[in-house]
């Protein structure tokens, strides 16, 4: 709870040594570097659940055919390290161990797209639209000597196992089967709109069943375990339900900038909410954190109760009681109504803070986490008394 990712390293080869670092980039940025994106933050009763996507290169010793574990080490800012070991299968189109067809994971800048086929690393489609350069199929079959007509079956499947309305059953696609490393025969799917089709939010797997000229090696489209996953899509994704991050925004604002003096009065920094869609929003968990080493403290407003105040542009106001973390750095408020009633509507939320007697001068901000959204608060200026 309250921990953040400080560093991610992964094993870029079959030796399992996590020595390749990946840097954080903004959610949905896409790219071809060693990078990760935080897709969602969900707040549980006793922990935070962070969903991230990771992409990067493999080095030369990772091209040996077979299955190897791509170890990923996630270091948190509290010093702890969490480890995952997803399995990666490496296939080759030539040699004695090349016996069956496979579909390739599009990557780098040889496949088209902007900047590449990001679906292989979790394409973020908050509006439900998947462009025509993201889901790409390329069939490699070592059993053919020349380029020849071939086919695959494909399907987009929700994380709960239900198929997308776009592909209620596996669809057959006729493609060119080849054994070269060229991308000349890649087949992009046309653009699709999950929202228009009525699909529910969540994480979608792009599954493909390669078919072979020798039916013995054709993957059975009725068996999900026989499919290769060569893409995925985060459509208004939220790990634990609640309003998807895309349906409202959180930004610095609300109350005016706050001016405090060491050991002086109370101020009310906050954030501004804006609805991006004409819908109602479920209650959210809100966390507010103090900046480190700035000597600020939260102030109880109703006896010993810490409060989060939410007010919309129509003047409706609600107060939510919260709990203070053991170190005094974070307030947690659960079941918070956002008071957003339609597209374009706005609301503000704020808490009470005070500068302690040893607070340094300067400008700082709180951090608000509202559902899957994170934003700094309006500015807090700490000035000498009498300034």
């Amino acid at each position: 709870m309250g921990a953040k990712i400080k560093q991610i390293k992964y094993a870029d080869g079959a030796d399992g040594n996590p020595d390749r670092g990946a840097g954080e980039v903004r959610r949905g940025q896409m790219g071809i570097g060693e990078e990760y994106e935080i897709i969602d933050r969900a707040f549980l009763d006793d922990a935070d659940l962070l969903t991230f996507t990771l992409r990067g290169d493999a080095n030369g010793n990772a091209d040996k055919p077979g299955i190897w574990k791509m170890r990923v080490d996630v270091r948190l800012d509290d010093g702890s390290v969490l480890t995952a070991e997803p399995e990666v299968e490496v296939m080759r189109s030539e040699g004695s161990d090349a016996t069956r067809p496979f579909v390739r994971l599009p990557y780098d800048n040889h496949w088209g797209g902007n900047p590449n086929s990001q679906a292989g690393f979790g394409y973020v489609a908050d509006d439900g639209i998947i462009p025509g350069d993201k889901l790409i199929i390329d069939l490699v079959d070592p059993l053919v000597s020349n380029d020849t007509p071939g086919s695959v079956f494909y399907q987009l499947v929700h994380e709960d196992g239900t198929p997308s309305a776009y592909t209620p059953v596996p669809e057959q696609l006729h493609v060119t089967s080849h054994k070269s490393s060229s991308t000349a025969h890649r087949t992009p799917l046309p653009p699709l709109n999950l929202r228009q089709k009525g699909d529910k939010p969540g994480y979608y797997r792009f599954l493909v069943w390669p078919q072979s000229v020798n039916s013995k090696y054709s993957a059975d489209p009725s068996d999900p375990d026989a499919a290769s996953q060569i893409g995925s899509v985060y459509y208004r994704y939220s790990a634990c339900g609640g309003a998807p991050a895309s349906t409202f925004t959180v930004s610095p604002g609300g109350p005016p900038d706050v001016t405090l003096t060491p050991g002086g009065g109370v101020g009310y920094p906050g954030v501004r909410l804006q609805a991006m869609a004409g819908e109602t929003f479920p209650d959210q968990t809100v966390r507010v954190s103090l900046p480190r080493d700035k000597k600020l403290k939260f102030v109880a407003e109703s006896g010993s109760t810490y409060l989060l105040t939410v007010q919309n542009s129509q003047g409706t106001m609600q107060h939510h009681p919260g709990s203070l973390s053991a170190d005094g750095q974070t307030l947690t408020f659960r079941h918070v109504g956002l008071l957003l009633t339609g597209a374009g509507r706005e609301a503000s939320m704020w808490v009470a803070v005070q500068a302690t007697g040893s607070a340094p001068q300067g400008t700082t901000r709180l951090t608000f986490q509202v559902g899957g959204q994170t934003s700094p608060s309006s500015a807090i200026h700490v000035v000498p008394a009498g300034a």
Side-chain angles (χ1 to χ4, degrees), residues 274-278 342-346:
Q274 184 174 27
M276 302 301 291
R345 294 298 179 89
E346 296 184 358

Side-chain angles (χ1 to χ4, degrees), residues 47-219:
D48 296 344
L49 177 59
L50 273 66
T51 302
F52 69 90
T53 183
L54 171 67
R55 56 182 172 266
D57 285 319
N59 66 26
N61 69 5
D63 64 359
K64 182 179 180 180
I67 296 176
W68 55 279
K69 291 184 177 180
M70 193 198 78
R71 175 170 168 168
V72 179
D73 282 358
V74 181
R75 183 176 298 276
L76 304 179
D77 60 359
D78 63 3
S80 61
V81 178
L82 305 177
T83 297
E85 292 184 323
E87 290 185 340
V88 174
E89 183 175 15
V90 177
M91 302 288 292
R92 297 191 69 176
S93 62
E94 298 177 296
S96 60
D97 48 8
T99 59
R100 60 184 174 90
F102 58 91
V103 283
R104 292 197 285 175
L105 180 71
Y107 182 54
D108 218 318
N109 53 10
H110 303 297
W111 296 81
N114 181 25
N116 68 302
S117 174
Q118 183 62 15
F121 303 86
Y123 180 69
V124 177
D126 286 333
D127 57 4
I129 298 173
I130 305 175
D133 58 8
K134 299 297 172 239
L135 300 179
I136 301 175
I137 295 174
D138 185 71
L139 176 61
V140 177
D141 190 345
L143 301 179
V144 301
S145 57
N146 299 303
D147 297 348
T148 186
S151 70
V152 300
F153 287 85
Y154 69 90
Q155 189 174 35
L156 201 61
V157 179
H158 191 268
E159 58 191 305
D160 65 7
T162 59
S164 162
Y166 178 70
T167 51
V169 297
E171 298 279 345
Q172 187 172 25
L173 179 68
H174 294 284
V175 297
T176 296
S177 180
H178 65 97
K179 63 185 304 179
S180 71
S181 60
S182 168
T183 61
H185 299 301
R186 67 189 184 280
T187 303
L189 296 189
L192 62 134
N193 189 327
L194 299 179
R195 185 170 187 173
Q196 188 179 64
K197 287 284 187 179
D199 278 314
K200 56 190 172 184
Y203 173 75
Y204 284 83
R205 303 170 64 205
F206 181 51
L207 304 180
V208 179
W209 292 263
Q211 304 299 293
S212 175
V213 292
N214 184 336
S215 60
K216 174 183 176 181
Y217 298 108
S218 292

Side-chain angles (χ1 to χ4, degrees), residues 17 42 104 106 125 166 222 242 254-255 274 278-279 281 313 333 339 352 380:
N17 180 25
R104 292 197 285 175
Y166 178 70
S222 67
Q274 184 174 27
E279 54 189 86
F281 300 88
S313 54
F333 304 90
L339 300 183
I380 304 170

